[in-house]
């Protein structure tokens, strides 16, 4: 099975036919898809200027989509290195019990679904790398009461999500499932009340 870098080379290779280049970009999302596969694909297509079902996209647009994906992947891989170093130090210092960020991080190792968007058509508009920088910054500071990506204030608890955890607070503005560790207990409770209002 080809890795991300091998697939990226195929996307950029002008000797490959266009169908293979497009397919290789889609396969990259099996290795790294911050919003989930479908939502990340929709995001990349809209940002690069070709349709999700376009079978004959401009090769330059495919490469532009790949560039955005690679930049975001670099941001996330840097975070994972720092995360692993921190955990190693904590274990060395005797802190064996992981915290809530660690529990969340285990579900997103490798970058799949770190900013999960259950509705593939609703996702942040900003570049992926910027979204991940905002999310990482939120993970590294005290919990807050708004979405770390768009600062949206309306968070609604949703059930039966197509990703683990299967329920959680969803930002109604940018569509991400907000990681629980970045929210205060009060914000989490408020999002659950929002769920009840939506259901009524």
């Amino acid at each position: 099975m080809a890795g991300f870098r091998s697939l990226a080379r195929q996307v950029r290779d002008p000797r490959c036919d266009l169908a293979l280049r497009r397919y290789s970009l889609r396969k990259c999302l099996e290795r790294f898809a911050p919003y989930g596969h479908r939502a990340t694909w929709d995001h990349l297509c809209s940002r690069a200027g070709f349709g999700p079902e376009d079978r004959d996209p401009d090769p330059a647009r495919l490469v532009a989509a790949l560039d955005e994906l690679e930049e975001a992947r670099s941001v996330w891989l840097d975070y994972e290195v720092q995360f692993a170093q921190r955990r190693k130090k904590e274990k060395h210092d005797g802190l064996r019990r992981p915290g809530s960020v660690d529990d969340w991080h285990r579900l997103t190792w490798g970058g799949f679904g770190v900013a999960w968007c259950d509705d593939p058509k609703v996702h942040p508009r900003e570049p992926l790398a910027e979204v991940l920088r905002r999310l990482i910054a939120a993970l590294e500071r005290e919990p807050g009461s708004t979405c770390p990506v768009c600062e949206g204030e309306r968070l609604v608890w949703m059930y039966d999500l197509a990703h683990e955890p299967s329920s959680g607070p969803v930002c109604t503005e940018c569509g991400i499932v907000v990681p629980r560790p970045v929210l205060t207990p009060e914000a989490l409770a408020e999002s659950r009340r929002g769920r009840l209002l939506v259901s009524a």
Side-chain angles (χ1 to χ4, degrees), residues 5-194:
R5 286 181 292 190
S6 175
L7 291 165
R9 279 194 296 274
Q10 289 179 344
V11 176
R12 286 200 168 86
D13 190 345
R15 295 168 299 176
C16 294
D17 69 43
L18 193 53
L20 176 60
R21 294 174 74 179
R22 180 186 181 278
Y23 173 79
S24 296
L25 180 60
R26 290 290 306 248
K27 291 294 280 184
C28 283
L29 301 184
E30 292 178 11
R31 302 339 180 247
F32 180 73
Y35 303 154
H37 190 281
R38 292 171 58 214
T40 304
W41 178 249
D42 190 79
H43 169 87
L44 292 173
C45 291
S46 64
R47 296 245 331 139
F50 61 94
E53 301 303 323
D54 187 350
R55 301 288 179 205
D56 192 29
D58 179 345
R61 294 181 188 274
L62 286 177
V63 172
L66 177 63
D67 287 344
E68 179 172 347
L69 188 64
E70 284 181 319
E71 182 184 2
R73 182 171 179 263
S74 176
V75 168
W76 187 253
L77 291 177
D78 287 347
Y79 169 72
E80 286 195 334
V81 167
Q82 293 170 15
F83 178 89
Q85 289 171 346
R86 177 182 62 81
R87 281 300 295 142
K88 184 176 180 180
K89 182 181 182 316
E90 287 175 349
K91 287 178 182 178
H92 180 269
D93 294 343
L95 182 62
R96 296 283 175 190
R97 184 182 170 122
S100 61
V101 171
D102 305 298
D103 292 338
W104 171 83
H105 190 265
R106 260 194 304 282
L107 299 173
T108 60
W109 189 259
F112 187 83
V114 296
W116 182 262
C117 297
D118 216 51
D119 181 343
K121 297 288 185 189
V122 181
H123 45 75
R125 294 184 190 93
E126 297 81 9
L128 282 171
E130 178 58 26
V131 168
L132 293 183
R133 285 186 193 102
R134 292 177 187 178
L135 187 60
I136 290 166
L139 290 166
E140 294 174 344
R141 66 177 179 252
E142 291 298 311
S145 60
T146 62
C147 172
V149 170
C150 71
E151 298 184 356
E153 297 180 358
R154 180 121 168 87
L155 307 177
V156 177
W157 195 272
M158 302 290 283
Y159 294 92
D160 299 321
L161 300 172
H163 184 61
E164 284 299 320
S166 61
S167 65
V170 175
C171 177
T172 60
E173 293 180 38
C174 72
I176 74 159
V177 178
V178 179
R180 294 179 202 181
V182 307
L183 295 172
T184 63
E186 294 78 17
L188 287 169
E190 185 63 32
S191 73
R192 288 178 189 270
R193 282 191 289 278

